[in-house]
Amino acid sequence: MSRFRQENGGRLDARAMPPGYGAADLRAAYKVPATGAKTTVAIVIAFDVPYAEKDLAVYRKTMGLPPCTTANGCFTKLNQRGVSGSYPQPDPGWALEGSMDLDLVSAACPTCKIMLVESDDNSLVNMAEATRTAWRKGAQVISHSYGATEGGYVWEFRDAYEKRGVISVASSGDFGFMAASMPAVYRKVLAVGGTTLKRAPGTARGWDEDVWGGSGSACSAYIAKSPWQHDPHCQMRTVSDVSAVADPETGPAIYDSFENPFGLEPGWIIGGGTSASAPYVAGLIGLKGNASTFTSRTPYTRTSAFFDVVGGRNGICGGDYLCTGRAGYDAPTGIGSPNGLGGF
C-alpha cells in the first residue's frame, strides 16, 4: 500500500539532498534521537528487491547514516524459507515498496539491524510464512507494508502476526474509511495510519499534522475489540492505533534504482502511503529497544507521548471520529503520531 511521485527528476539540490523529507527532517518532526538500540527489525515483502543493499547504501550515505551491509552484519536478505539466495523474481512495484521500507526503517533507527525477508509472491499464505521466518530468524519487530480486505480467512493466518515477544507493525491502508485491512486489523498488531506532515515555522513544535485523506480507518467485522480501546461507535476492533507521515505530497525521500511501474525515473523518489508510516514506526520501536515487551496496548497507556492529530478527514462519516481528525482518539490516526520515544 503505497504512493509515489517525483520532483525535478529526482535530482539532488544545492545541499546535495533529494526532494522529500530526509531522515533529519523526520527526527525533527517526531522529536526522536539519532541513535539508540540495535534491535533487529524485519521487513516482509513480496518478490525480490534486486538492488536492496546497493540502494540502501546510497540512501544511508546521503542521509548521513552509518553503513548497513551484509559485511558488517547489519543487513540480512533472506527468502521466505530463511535462506540467503534463491530469491524470487523481482516485481518493479514491490521492489520500490521494499526500498521505501528499508529507507524508512533506516531513517527511524540508524542503529538497528535490518532483515529483509522476501516472500515467493504476494499470496497471503506465503506472506504469512515469510513473517514466521522473520521471527524464527530472530526479528523482534516486523514491518508489513501490505494488506488485504479482512474476511473469514483472517483466523488462518493470525498465528504469524501475533507471536508472543514479537511486535508486528502494519499499514492501515491507503483508501480512507472502508473495510478493515489484514494484518493491521489483528488485535496484537500495531496498526499505523497516515498523516499529512507540513513544516509550521513559528509554532512550538515547528510542524503540523492533519489526517491524510488516504489513511485507512475501519471498524472490523471479524476481530473483537481490544480491551484497551474505548471508542464508543465501533463495537469491534478499530483501526488505527498510531500514525505518522504518509501523504506523498509531503512525503519522505526514498532511493530505488530498479525500474518501476509508475513512469518515474529510477533514483530519488518521494514516497507515501501507510507503507511509509508503518516501517517508520517499526523503526522507532526498534530504536527504543524494548520490542520484546512492547505490545499494541502500550501506546494507549502513554498517550501523552504522542502528538494529537486534529484536522482533516479520510471519508464521509458525518464528522464522526471514525473518519475525522478529532481531539483524542480518532480512527485515521489512532492516538496520534510519535512525540519522542516515550510512547514505545
Side-chain angles (χ1 to χ4, degrees):
M1 298 179 184
S2 51
R3 307 283 180 89
F4 302 97
R5 68 185 187 89
Q6 197 167 55
E7 289 183 359
N8 304 321
R11 294 185 297 274
L12 300 180
D13 64 19
R15 303 168 300 144
M17 290 298 292
Y21 294 138
D25 297 319
L26 296 177
R27 286 197 300 271
Y30 295 117
K31 315 300 182 188
V32 295
T35 59
K38 297 181 179 180
T39 309
T40 297
V41 179
I43 293 163
V44 172
I45 200 76
F47 305 105
D48 186 31
V49 185
Y51 303 151
E53 187 168 2
K54 176 173 69 71
D55 288 351
L56 181 61
V58 173
Y59 178 86
R60 292 179 71 108
K61 182 177 181 180
T62 303
M63 297 298 165
L65 307 179
C68 185
T69 66
T70 302
N72 69 13
C74 174
F75 179 72
T76 304
K77 179 178 173 179
L78 304 171
N79 63 25
Q80 77 174 47
R81 285 158 289 282
V83 177
S84 293
S86 301
Y87 302 116
Q89 290 296 309
D91 174 89
W94 281 93
L96 181 53
E97 176 77 53
S99 291
M100 181 161 67
D101 292 355
L102 290 166
D103 293 350
L104 268 295
V105 168
S106 295
C109 186
T111 52
C112 284
K113 295 182 178 181
I114 301 178
M115 178 190 299
L116 178 64
V117 184
E118 299 183 340
S119 172
D120 288 350
D121 56 35
N122 60 346
S123 70
L124 294 177
V125 171
N126 284 330
M127 297 299 274
E129 187 54 33
T131 300
R132 296 183 187 101
T133 292
W135 45 256
R136 286 170 185 153
K137 288 292 184 176
Q140 298 163 284
V141 184
I142 307 178
S143 176
H144 309 275
S145 292
Y146 57 88
T149 302
E150 69 174 352
Y153 64 82
V154 294
W155 313 113
E156 181 180 351
F157 305 110
R158 186 170 60 171
D159 72 290
Y161 299 97
E162 295 193 332
K163 174 69 173 175
R164 182 182 294 273
V166 177
I167 181 66
S168 275
V169 181
S171 304
S172 69
D174 290 349
F175 301 100
F177 179 44
M178 58 180 296
S181 178
M182 168 279 204
V185 72
Y186 291 124
R187 285 169 52 171
K188 296 181 181 179
V189 170
L190 189 72
V192 183
T195 68
T196 296
L197 176 69
K198 295 181 179 180
R199 300 181 191 277
T203 64
R205 179 184 174 189
W207 299 81
D208 179 67
E209 282 182 288
D210 294 319
V211 170
W212 172 51
S215 179
S217 68
C219 180
S220 177
Y222 293 86
I223 305 296
K225 196 166 198 68
S226 305
W228 48 90
Q229 283 193 321
H230 302 292
D231 56 296
H233 299 163
C234 175
Q235 300 307 305
M236 302 289 276
R237 160 73 155 128
T238 311
V239 175
S240 298
D241 298 311
V242 299
S243 56
V245 58
D247 188 343
E249 294 302 313
T250 60
I254 61 171
Y255 187 82
D256 181 80
S257 62
F258 192 59
E259 63 182 287
N260 65 75
F262 305 109
L264 304 175
E265 182 179 340
W268 288 105
I269 295 169
I270 299 175
T274 54
S275 291
S277 57
Y280 189 74
V281 169
L284 293 183
I285 297 170
L287 189 70
K288 177 69 172 180
N290 64 340
S292 63
T293 57
F294 178 91
T295 70
S296 57
R297 178 180 182 271
T298 305
Y300 289 85
T301 68
R302 304 174 183 178
T303 56
S304 63
F306 290 85
F307 293 113
D308 192 6
V309 180
V310 179
R313 61 185 176 89
N314 67 346
I316 299 173
C317 61
D320 191 82
Y321 75 92
L322 288 173
C323 78
T324 308
R326 303 282 295 273
Y329 178 88
D330 59 68
T333 66
I335 60 172
S337 65
N339 180 4
L341 298 180
F344 302 115

